[in-house]
Amino acid sequence: MTLRVVARVVTLPGKESEFKALALPLVEATRLETGCIKYELLQNLNDPTDFTFVEEWVNDAALNLHLQAPHFVEAAGKLDGLVAMAPDIRRYEVIF
Amino acid sequence: MTLRVVARVVTLPGKESEFKALALPLVEATRLETGCIKYELLQNLNDPTDFTFVEEWVNDAALNLHLQAPHFVEAAGKLDGLVAMAPDIRRYEVIF
């Protein structure tokens, strides 16, 4: 059973492009991590400030490694001033 | 570009199994819909009352058909007494 993650980031109005510029290298680097199965960034069609990462990891340990990886720590460190609240990162398992 | 949906359902404590019993036939019937590419139900590993549907549809019209389909309307009609709030259904596009 793989690990799924749904992580929501809400930017401040007008900060969407800056967030996307920050997120692109994060997505590219993350997809190279051995434990990463899927890592996508979605933008809400009705609210452009609402971004959701939909992720799949081999296991919990792979996700924990990701959360300590320089590319993640660096990106997370630059969110101040871009986001309306702390990222909402949730761990899931698939039931159906 | 396909349409993505992330839909969150929070059950009342103790109603998780009842919700899952309601959701299983919904998932099975939905996957048979022509416009449905992916339709998965996830349960939060740290909060069993938190369920998230991660979906992919051919387009907006396919999703709208789904939301009018008998199996969806019937399931949605049975949520009263099971959920802590109305389902949070969001439409997204993939950006990375």
Side-chain angles (χ1 to χ4, degrees), chain B:
Chain B
M1 171 76 71
T2 61
L3 175 69
R4 302 301 190 90
V5 170
V6 176
R8 186 154 288 161
V9 174
V10 180
T11 66
L12 294 166
K15 294 292 184 180
E16 297 88 334
S17 301
E18 241 175 291
F19 173 72
K20 284 194 222 182
L22 180 68
L24 179 55
L26 169 64
V27 171
E28 289 171 337
T30 299
R31 285 177 179 161
L32 300 177
E33 293 181 48
T34 32
C36 178
I37 298 169
K38 185 177 65 176
Y39 196 82
E40 295 180 311
L41 180 57
L42 315 181
Q43 185 172 22
N44 187 323
L45 290 166
N46 301 308
D47 171 7
T49 69
D50 168 16
F51 295 88
T52 292
F53 290 89
V54 176
E55 311 170 21
E56 184 172 1
W57 296 89
V58 170
N59 53 34
D60 221 44
L63 175 61
N64 291 334
L65 271 177
H66 166 64
L67 296 175
Q68 297 155 30
H71 50 272
F72 180 84
V73 173
E74 197 190 311
K78 292 179 182 167
L79 289 179
D80 272 0
L82 295 186
V83 294
M85 58 179 189
D88 175 332
I89 303 176
R90 302 182 186 206
R91 298 175 190 222
Y92 289 91
E93 64 178 344
V94 178
I95 50 170
F96 303 132

Side-chain angles (χ1 to χ4, degrees), chain A:
Chain A
M1 173 74 71
T2 61
L3 175 69
R4 303 298 191 91
V5 169
V6 176
R8 185 154 289 160
V9 174
V10 181
T11 67
L12 293 165
K15 294 293 185 180
E16 297 89 333
S17 301
E18 244 176 287
F19 172 72
K20 284 194 222 182
L22 180 68
L24 179 56
L26 169 63
V27 170
E28 288 171 337
T30 298
R31 285 177 178 161
L32 300 177
E33 293 181 47
T34 31
C36 179
I37 298 169
K38 185 176 65 176
Y39 195 81
E40 295 180 310
L41 180 57
L42 315 180
Q43 185 172 21
N44 187 322
L45 291 166
N46 301 307
D47 172 6
T49 68
D50 168 17
F51 294 88
T52 291
F53 289 89
V54 176
E55 312 171 21
E56 184 172 1
W57 295 90
V58 170
N59 53 33
D60 220 45
L63 175 61
N64 291 335
L65 270 177
H66 167 64
L67 297 175
Q68 296 155 31
H71 51 270
F72 180 84
V73 173
E74 196 189 311
K78 292 178 182 166
L79 289 178
D80 272 358
L82 295 186
V83 294
M85 57 179 190
D88 174 332
I89 303 175
R90 301 182 188 206
R91 299 175 189 224
Y92 290 90
E93 64 177 343
V94 178
I95 50 169
F96 303 131

